[in-house]
Amino acid sequence: MAAHIRRRLRKGATTTAVAAAAVAALAASQAPAAPLAEGSTGGDQQTAGGETGGPEDGAATGNSPYYTDLPPLVTPDRPGSSSNLPAATGSAEAGIPASVLAAYKQAERTVGTTDPACRLPWQLLAAIGKVESGQARGGQVDANGTTPTPILGPALNGEGFALIKDTDGGAYDGDAVHDRAVGPMQFIPSTWATWGQDANGDGRKDPNNIYDAALAAGRYLCAGGRNLAVAADLDRAVLSYNQSTEYLRTVRSWFAYYQRGTHEVPDGSGVLPTAPSTPSPSPTPTPSPTPGGTTSPTPSPGPSKPGATKPTPGPSKPGDGTTSPTPTPPRPTPPPKPTPSPADTLGSLENAGTGPLTATAGGTFDERVSVRARNALGAPMAQLPVTFTVTGTTGTLFGGGKKTVTVISKADGTATAPALKAGEKTGEFTVTATAGTTRPRTLTYAASVTARQADKIVRTDEKALVAAPGEKFADAVSVKATHKGVAAPGVAVTATMVKDSLGLIDNDKGPYFKDAAGKPLRTLDLTTGADGLLQLPEIFADENPGTYKLRLTTEGGGSVVIELTVQAPEETAPEETETPEA
């Protein structure tokens, strides 16, 4: 039965019913990963619903002919299952020439970087490449991926195909009268002029190079904000390539087949397809389009059979109780929405060299958030509004006290936000850049506010600090914190009573501070004032005489150790008085 279906399809895939049967048979053994979108399987022709990426004719190939061979009705050789598959069960069909396969995968990676929301699978490119050119005629390409001779479709002269007059002076297709589809992915010259790519870095956009053509096809399929993981978007993308439901079914079949397993074969050894679609010549001057770019004659009405028609009623007579039907005015067809060109379609938003975003509380960030916008072709996109938004609780704002600002991208595609002013609260926050309306692109940067710092702290005087046991130190302790020689306001300072000169061992005896309840406290967290100065609270001595140490440390590495002495006051001997001589 499967062989019978394939034989019928290879004779031209003439009817929708045959293709539907073939797809049903395929689905029974290898159900496709994504179903055809609702509405994509009916009728002889379907357009992309105004979302095509191509020119006004609505098809990248000009609806030129394609190969109608369908994949074998077996699952390809998957890893670990080769021993269970007999020979000649489709493993050869699953092979893709090495350079061609590399081009598809490179295109997937490139588009995944510039337009990740499209989710382009390389297997879709392989399916289209199979149907359009048999994978560049079985991988007949040179070391750079270019076909030795151009792969050309027939002249699109209106005789069985669309009528597309020459647009490139024969530069790509060698035809200065009519256009022809060109290269492994069969772009017509007018479409290539818009979507052509240089993917192999040789400085040329060559439709006969598989790397250039595969990337161009990937960007074309992603146009209009499509997400190819969504069945409806994938169907519209394929139909934008060739406006034929038969074509969609054929591509879908190969797409599902390649998703289930492929392998690399040497260039030039790929399996060549054998069944191209063929147009039906039109016997009348006014052909109507049918699937695959073919035309069929407009049927002329035959003679009426007796009783096959009803007489048209005459005008109603006055008073006979009849009324003439009121004709329904035709609804006006709304004009199609214009599809933006790829040069005007936002493709990606990327970091334009922004470094780490860190600043101390109250300071200004040295780095400014900068992004670069690129269009669907990967080129810099100018005059694009980019909105930057600060999110977090640190109090950080853009210059002018704003949480959100909008900047227009420059000629090189860059948009740079104003400088950030750190808030007083330490912690993490984010800055998000957003551009685009139909399918916005966003880029988020992590940022942080750290505590104010001082790399040095010193006493402001050299007075000896002495107190009697159980008494209060008469002189207050004052210090000043600086950072790189400049007064450091708002710096956290920790004051700790310690035993050793390095201040590494805390002391539980000797001088102390008091808390709000008047209880002894030997560690305090303090903050310098606006001028970097700090006067410590009163210090008290307990009943233990001796020499003690107070260590002050700051955020940023500044430290100082101050000596405190607890001793009883020296007793003064009474003066001797002379006794007068008798």
Side-chain angles (χ1 to χ4, degrees), residues 106-189:
Q106 177 179 298
E108 179 191 63
R109 291 192 300 270
T110 301
V111 174
T113 299
T114 60
D115 189 5
C118 175
R119 301 176 69 181
L120 171 72
W122 66 261
Q123 292 91 341
L124 180 60
L125 296 175
I128 291 175
K130 177 71 172 180
V131 172
E132 291 294 345
S133 68
Q135 310 297 21
R137 292 175 177 161
Q140 296 290 339
V141 295
D142 62 19
N144 294 321
T146 304
T147 59
T149 57
I151 300 176
L152 299 176
L156 299 175
N157 55 13
E159 297 179 8
F161 307 112
L163 173 60
I164 303 180
K165 294 184 178 181
D166 176 65
T167 61
D168 66 331
Y172 292 119
D173 56 12
D175 190 332
V177 179
H178 298 98
D179 272 348
R180 298 169 181 257
V182 182
M185 303 304 281
Q186 289 290 277
F187 279 96
I188 56 174

Side-chain angles (χ1 to χ4, degrees), residues 111-400:
V111 174
T113 299
T114 60
D115 189 5
C118 175
R119 301 176 69 181
L120 171 72
W122 66 261
Q123 292 91 341
L124 180 60
L125 296 175
I128 291 175
K130 177 71 172 180
V131 172
E132 291 294 345
S133 68
Q135 310 297 21
R137 292 175 177 161
Q140 296 290 339
V141 295
D142 62 19
N144 294 321
T146 304
T147 59
T149 57
I151 300 176
L152 299 176
L156 299 175
N157 55 13
E159 297 179 8
F161 307 112
L163 173 60
I164 303 180
K165 294 184 178 181
D166 176 65
T167 61
D168 66 331
Y172 292 119
D173 56 12
D175 190 332
V177 179
H178 298 98
D179 272 348
R180 298 169 181 257
V182 182
M185 303 304 281
Q186 289 290 277
F187 279 96
I188 56 174
S190 57
T191 306
W192 184 260
T194 301
W195 291 90
Q197 301 287 305
D198 175 20
N200 64 348
D202 64 356
R204 298 179 58 224
K205 298 178 180 179
D206 185 0
N208 293 297
N209 180 275
I210 185 59
Y211 291 95
D212 294 357
L215 180 57
R219 295 201 189 283
Y220 182 92
L221 293 167
C222 289
R226 298 188 187 107
N227 176 358
L228 299 183
V230 176
D233 277 8
L234 188 144
D235 289 351
R236 280 191 285 268
V238 175
L239 287 168
S240 77
Y241 219 86
N242 190 312
Q243 294 180 343
S244 162
T245 305
E246 291 289 347
Y247 179 85
L248 171 61
R249 290 194 180 102
T250 306
V251 169
R252 274 287 204 156
S253 297
W254 282 107
F255 176 47
Y257 183 75
Y258 287 141
Q259 282 185 312
R260 282 163 177 76
T262 62
H263 59 273
E264 179 183 300
V265 298
D267 288 345
S269 65
V271 176
L272 294 175
T274 59
S277 62
T278 55
S280 300
S282 174
T284 66
T286 55
S288 60
T290 59
T294 63
T295 58
S296 60
T298 303
S300 300
S304 301
K305 296 181 181 180
T309 59
K310 295 181 180 180
T312 303
S316 58
K317 299 179 180 179
D320 65 357
T322 63
T323 59
S324 300
T326 303
T328 302
R331 289 184 178 181
T333 302
K337 295 181 180 180
T339 301
S341 70
D344 297 328
T345 301
L346 177 61
S348 65
L349 205 61
E350 61 189 41
N351 186 359
T354 306
L357 295 169
T358 303
T360 56
T364 299
F365 284 75
D366 293 332
E367 287 285 332
R368 293 170 64 181
V369 179
S370 184
V371 300
R372 177 175 282 104
R374 295 188 184 276
N375 61 24
L377 297 174
M381 191 169 185
Q383 298 299 309
L384 178 73
V386 180
T387 300
F388 298 89
T389 304
V390 175
T391 304
T393 59
T394 64
T396 301
L397 300 170
F398 291 111

Side-chain angles (χ1 to χ4, degrees), residues 88-109:
T89 56
S91 59
E93 288 285 4
I96 299 178
S99 293
V100 178
L101 181 60
Y104 296 149
K105 291 185 176 181
Q106 177 179 298
E108 179 191 63
R109 291 192 300 270

Side-chain angles (χ1 to χ4, degrees), residues 274-553:
T274 59
S277 62
T278 55
S280 300
S282 174
T284 66
T286 55
S288 60
T290 59
T294 63
T295 58
S296 60
T298 303
S300 300
S304 301
K305 296 181 181 180
T309 59
K310 295 181 180 180
T312 303
S316 58
K317 299 179 180 179
D320 65 357
T322 63
T323 59
S324 300
T326 303
T328 302
R331 289 184 178 181
T333 302
K337 295 181 180 180
T339 301
S341 70
D344 297 328
T345 301
L346 177 61
S348 65
L349 205 61
E350 61 189 41
N351 186 359
T354 306
L357 295 169
T358 303
T360 56
T364 299
F365 284 75
D366 293 332
E367 287 285 332
R368 293 170 64 181
V369 179
S370 184
V371 300
R372 177 175 282 104
R374 295 188 184 276
N375 61 24
L377 297 174
M381 191 169 185
Q383 298 299 309
L384 178 73
V386 180
T387 300
F388 298 89
T389 304
V390 175
T391 304
T393 59
T394 64
T396 301
L397 300 170
F398 291 111
K402 297 180 179 179
K403 293 190 71 172
T404 300
V405 295
T406 299
V407 179
I408 305 300
S409 64
K410 295 189 263 187
D412 63 354
T414 60
T416 302
L420 287 163
K421 176 76 172 179
E424 290 299 331
K425 185 176 180 180
T426 62
E428 307 291 326
F429 69 97
T430 60
V431 180
T432 301
T434 306
T437 54
T438 303
R439 190 172 64 179
R441 300 291 194 274
T442 61
L443 197 61
T444 300
Y445 297 81
S448 63
V449 177
T450 60
R452 296 173 184 263
Q453 296 184 349
D455 53 20
K456 189 174 183 180
I457 184 169
V458 297
R459 283 191 65 188
T460 57
D461 61 55
E462 297 297 330
K463 290 181 179 180
L465 299 170
V466 181
E471 299 294 330
K472 179 176 68 174
F473 284 80
D475 295 310
V477 177
S478 295
V479 295
K480 183 174 183 178
T482 58
H483 182 67
K484 296 181 180 179
V486 179
V491 174
V493 178
T494 300
T496 307
M497 300 297 176
V498 294
K499 291 182 178 180
D500 59 316
S501 58
L502 295 178
L504 300 178
I505 304 174
D506 294 354
N507 201 344
D508 57 357
K509 294 181 180 180
Y512 60 90
F513 304 104
K514 286 185 178 180
D515 64 12
K519 294 182 179 180
L521 207 72
R522 289 186 167 85
T523 297
L524 280 181
D525 290 324
L526 307 165
T527 305
T528 60
D531 51 4
L533 293 174
L534 171 64
Q535 180 172 305
L536 275 63
E538 292 179 326
I539 302 175
F540 300 86
D542 64 7
E543 300 299 330
N544 298 290
T547 300
Y548 299 91
K549 292 178 173 58
L550 167 64
R551 183 173 186 252
L552 305 178
T553 58

